[in-house]
């Protein structure tokens, strides 16, 4: 069965620290990859997505993610986090075979001011 | 542009009772999704509608859950009878179409607690 695994459940960083959140998926065919974010008290919203082309994808608020096909990974990065980045981050995969979004379990990011 | 609306925002019921959730998608969005998010987990798709037809309900526990999307706009999700393990946030999302590249827009969710 297709699955998405996020390496960390809770990450705590100080402002200006660099961020990398891991995401691995199990499906070997054509996939589309997403990162969603849920800020405290807000809706789940799209941060960035990858479909094809350049494996380095840039999203909103300075976030980027790199698709590494050989490693089945789509890690999220940000060079310098801010207190306002405190949120829960979800990696998701849409496979043409399954035809639906499959989410990871989420990573809670806490940024200390 | 108005977002996806859901009601109620919170619901507390006792096991074996019934409950219904309502969703109003973004205007013009043909595809509507219901997800279940249990604490500590990511959202899991329960059912997907394309207009008023069901596309995927493979993970919907059909012995107790039902959903409909009359007229291809609003949708309701019902649980009858509820079990303790149904405690979760129920998210509604909509998109222009079912394709992977169509962004799914999520509502605020309904937080259900079954006692």
């Amino acid at each position: 069965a297709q699955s998405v695994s996020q390496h960390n459940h809770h990450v705590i960083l100080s402002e200006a620290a660099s961020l990398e959140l891991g995401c691995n998926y199990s499906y070997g065919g054509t996939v589309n990859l997403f990162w969603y974010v849920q800020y405290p008290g807000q809706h789940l919203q799209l941060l960035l997505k990858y479909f094809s082309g350049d494996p380095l994808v840039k999203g909103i608020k300075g976030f980027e993610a790199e698709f590494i096909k050989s490693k089945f990974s789509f890690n999220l990065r940000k060079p310098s986090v801010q207190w306002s980045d405190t949120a829960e981050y979800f990696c998701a995969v849409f496979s043409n075979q399954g035809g639906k979004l499959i989410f990871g379990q989420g990573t809670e990011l806490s940024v200390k001011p | 542009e108005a977002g996806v609306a859901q009601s109620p925002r919170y619901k507390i019921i006792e096991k074996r009772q019934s409950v219904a959730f309502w969703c109003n998608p973004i205007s013009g969005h043909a595809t509507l999704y219901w997800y279940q998010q249990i604490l500590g987990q990511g959202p899991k798709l329960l059912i997907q509608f394309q207009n008023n037809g069901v596309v995927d309900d493979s993970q919907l526990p059909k012995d107790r859950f039902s959903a409909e999307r009359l007229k291809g706009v609003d949708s309701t999700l019902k649980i009858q009878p509820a079990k303790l393990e149904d405690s979760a946030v129920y998210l509604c999302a909509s998109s222009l179409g079912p394709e992977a590249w169509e962004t799914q827009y999520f509502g605020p969710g309904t937080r259900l607690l079954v006692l």
Side-chain angles (χ1 to χ4, degrees):
Chain A
Q2 300 158 34
S3 66
V4 179
S5 176
Q6 294 184 235
H7 306 161
N8 309 97
H9 289 293
H10 193 186
V11 173
I12 302 173
L13 296 173
S14 296
E15 275 194 315
S18 63
L19 169 72
E20 180 159 5
L21 301 182
C23 172
N24 286 91
Y25 61 93
S26 64
Y27 182 62
T30 302
V31 293
N32 305 119
L33 300 156
F34 305 79
W35 276 96
Y36 279 81
V37 61
Q38 187 166 25
Y39 298 103
Q42 295 190 27
H43 307 181
L44 199 61
Q45 57 186 284
L46 183 66
L47 196 56
L48 51 77
K49 59 186 176 183
Y50 170 81
F51 288 104
S52 63
D54 189 344
L56 186 61
V57 180
K58 295 192 184 300
I60 60 173
K61 303 187 180 184
F63 286 90
E64 64 180 30
E66 184 175 14
F67 170 51
I68 303 179
K69 189 175 181 179
S70 61
K71 295 185 178 180
F72 299 91
S73 71
F74 189 56
N75 292 354
L76 182 70
R77 299 195 294 246
K78 185 171 185 178
S80 176
V81 295
Q82 301 173 316
W83 176 79
S84 58
D85 293 325
T86 294
E88 189 154 21
Y89 293 81
F90 293 92
C91 180
V93 173
F94 189 111
S95 75
N96 291 340
Q97 184 183 58
K100 61 186 169 216
L101 265 183
I102 298 173
F103 285 85
Q105 69 269 40
T107 297
E108 185 179 349
L109 172 65
S110 299
V111 180
K112 298 182 294 184
Chain B
E1 171 179 271
V4 176
Q6 290 188 246
S7 67
R9 294 294 308 277
Y10 304 92
K11 192 74 177 179
I12 301 174
I13 62 173
E14 295 188 349
K15 59 183 179 182
R16 291 188 290 273
Q17 286 187 321
S18 62
V19 64
F21 312 129
W22 174 82
C23 172
N24 180 236
I26 293 173
S27 177
H29 281 195
T31 312
L32 185 147
Y33 313 80
W34 282 102
Y35 288 87
Q36 180 192 58
Q37 186 176 12
I38 294 172
L39 188 64
Q41 299 181 21
K44 182 184 82 172
L45 180 70
L46 292 176
I47 188 167
Q48 177 182 341
F49 291 94
Q50 181 65 19
N51 296 307
N52 60 352
V54 175
V55 173
D56 184 347
D57 64 357
S58 57
Q59 298 191 96
L60 187 74
K62 298 180 187 63
D63 57 333
R64 297 184 300 106
F65 285 65
S66 65
E68 59 182 12
R69 191 183 183 197
L70 299 176
K71 300 180 182 178
V73 181
D74 293 5
S75 177
T76 55
L77 176 69
K78 296 179 182 177
I79 308 175
Q80 182 179 12
K83 292 185 175 181
L84 297 177
E85 58 260 37
D86 298 332
S87 294
V89 177
Y90 290 86
L91 297 169
C92 180
S94 71
S95 61
L96 283 170
E99 295 82 7
W101 58 80
E102 296 290 359
T103 298
Q104 293 188 25
Y105 296 87
F106 286 82
T110 296
R111 190 175 297 273
L112 173 67
L113 179 60
V114 182
L115 302 175

